[in-house]
Amino acid sequence: MSSKRSWDAYFMKIATIVAERATCTRAKIGAVIVKDKNIIATGYNGSPAGHPHCTDVGCLIYVSRNPDGEEEENCFRTIHAEINAIAQAAKHGVEIAGADIYVTASPCYHCLKTLINTGITRIVYLKPYKMHRIEPLLEHSSIELVQVSEEDLAAVD
């Protein structure tokens, strides 16, 4: 009998540690891109390199309205964890098509569009975030969306 975590729980646990580096005061999100059971990039919510962080100077919040009229608040200063992980892979010339991404929250609409276009095949998330927003994108995509529960994260196989 094995006492190892499942691969999904293992990589999600690492994503939760990556999230601890986040400098967004509204959400601490971490992302880990994995290919062939190897970590190839990580990212967390934060400002561009060399720029002030929300934790130091506050957020730059703006309100936008979705096509159905729902208002949403976002921060101009913060780059989402998924985008930072993609940028890290690109900076180092690492191919991510066919990889999985582990994110501590399901992706927002814009991050999901980007993940689809990068060729990521599987998104594993811990906490749901505005699932109703991303469902239409998922319907027209072959990307797999899988949730890891808090219990799975704490359990050992």
Side-chain angles (χ1 to χ4, degrees):
M1 183 182 212
S2 175
S3 61
K4 292 182 183 177
R5 294 182 186 281
S6 70
W7 285 110
D8 283 349
Y10 171 74
F11 289 120
M12 186 59 70
K13 187 76 167 174
I14 294 169
T16 64
I17 293 167
V18 171
E20 293 174 7
R21 297 249 336 134
T23 60
C24 174
T25 58
R26 298 165 12 109
K28 291 199 171 286
I29 307 297
V32 177
I33 300 177
V34 174
K35 194 167 192 179
D36 301 323
K37 295 187 174 79
N38 289 292
I39 296 170
I40 58 176
T42 63
Y44 50 85
N45 286 14
S47 298
H51 288 248
H53 293 281
C54 296
T55 51
D56 298 327
V57 295
C59 293
L60 292 174
I61 300 298
Y62 68 94
V63 177
S64 61
R65 191 178 314 276
N66 293 319
D68 63 4
E70 181 184 352
E71 286 189 352
E72 185 171 290
E73 289 185 353
N74 289 288
C75 179
F76 276 118
R77 197 179 307 283
T78 297
I79 301 171
H80 289 186
E82 300 93 323
I83 303 303
N84 271 326
I86 292 166
Q88 184 185 77
K91 182 177 180 179
H92 296 287
V94 177
E95 173 68 45
I96 64 173
D100 299 340
I101 188 167
Y102 292 80
V103 191
T104 55
S106 59
C108 73
Y109 190 83
H110 301 291
C111 286
L112 180 56
K113 290 188 295 185
T114 305
L115 292 168
I116 290 168
N117 275 3
T118 64
I120 291 282
T121 56
R122 190 166 170 261
I123 301 168
V124 183
Y125 69 96
L126 186 59
K127 296 177 182 174
Y129 174 76
K130 297 187 180 181
M131 298 298 285
H132 68 285
R133 278 278 159 238
I134 63 173
E135 285 170 1
L137 281 175
L138 292 170
E139 289 174 11
H140 300 285
S141 168
S142 61
I143 206 161
E144 183 183 1
L145 189 66
V146 178
Q147 184 174 17
V148 171
S149 71
E150 295 279 351
E151 293 80 28
D152 292 339
L153 201 57
V156 177
D157 294 342

